[in-house]
Amino acid sequence: MYLTPEQIASANKAGVETLLGLASSQFAAFERLSALNFNAAKAAFEEGLGRTKSLLGAKDIQEYITLNTVASQPAIEKAIAYSRSVYEVAAQTQSELAKVLEARAAEFSKSLVGILDKVSKSTPASSDVAVAAVKSAIAAASTAYDNFNKVAKQATEMAEANFNAATTATAAPKEKKHAAAAA
């Protein structure tokens, strides 16, 4: 069994398209992270200027301490929001990469089984056992890969739940402080 030039060209084209898709996805993620970092830096700079001006305008040490304390909680909330945004970009990028890899793995497995079927038709009858063993190994590898993906998805979901719980727990003290201050 020989591969035709068309089959080789088709396989090469599919590989290049996959790589270009992955590169595009990575550049989009880099662009989102760059915009996120730029906006965070710009906001921090502007808030720092405003905070400095208000602190310089404090009339006494008590007002200075109060202004400083009041400004710290929004900074914590913004840091949490920033980390959540970075996490979302990373999770989305990882998800896109996993989808591409899953599709390519399924396509590769299907192609390999097709090639084995063609090979088994043109080989002596005694080679059926070897072809069946290779097909069995491919099926076992595919099952293992699927199980690994399921475990990885569960771990990702657990990490996301833990991240959300941690950010919620970090924001909770603020709500208690505001409730105590209102009372």
Side-chain angles (χ1 to χ4, degrees), residues 129-153:
V129 174
V131 171
V134 172
K135 283 184 179 179
S136 176
I138 292 170
S142 179
T143 302
Y145 179 76
D146 290 342
N147 289 338
F148 176 76
N149 276 343
K150 288 177 186 175
V151 169
K153 286 178 183 177

Side-chain angles (χ1 to χ4, degrees), residues 84-139:
R84 183 176 287 138
S85 296
V86 169
Y87 176 79
E88 288 170 358
V89 170
Q92 181 183 6
T93 303
Q94 184 272 336
S95 174
E96 291 171 3
L97 180 62
K99 287 177 186 175
V100 169
L101 291 177
E102 284 177 20
R104 291 297 291 170
E107 185 180 314
F108 176 75
S109 179
K110 183 179 173 184
S111 296
L112 192 55
V113 168
I115 289 171
L116 285 174
D117 286 340
K118 288 180 183 178
V119 167
S120 69
K121 290 178 185 174
S122 64
T123 58
S126 62
S127 65
D128 288 345
V129 174
V131 171
V134 172
K135 283 184 179 179
S136 176
I138 292 170

Side-chain angles (χ1 to χ4, degrees), residues 1 7-8 45 49 53 80-83 91 96 108-109 135 144 146 148 152 164 169 180 183:
M1 189 207 89
Q7 290 172 323
I8 294 171
F45 178 73
L49 286 177
K53 288 178 184 177
I80 291 170
Y82 172 78
S83 64
E96 291 171 3
F108 176 75
S109 179
K135 283 184 179 179
D146 290 342
F148 176 76
N164 289 335

Side-chain angles (χ1 to χ4, degrees), residues 73-74 76-77 80 84 164-183:
Q73 188 60 37
I76 292 171
E77 291 170 3
I80 291 170
R84 183 176 287 138
N164 289 335
T167 56
T168 302
T170 304
K174 174 203 165 222
E175 294 170 7
K176 290 178 184 176
K177 286 182 182 179
H178 285 309

Side-chain angles (χ1 to χ4, degrees), residues 155-170:
T156 301
E157 290 169 0
M158 190 182 313
E160 187 172 339
N162 289 340
F163 180 80
N164 289 335
T167 56
T168 302
T170 304

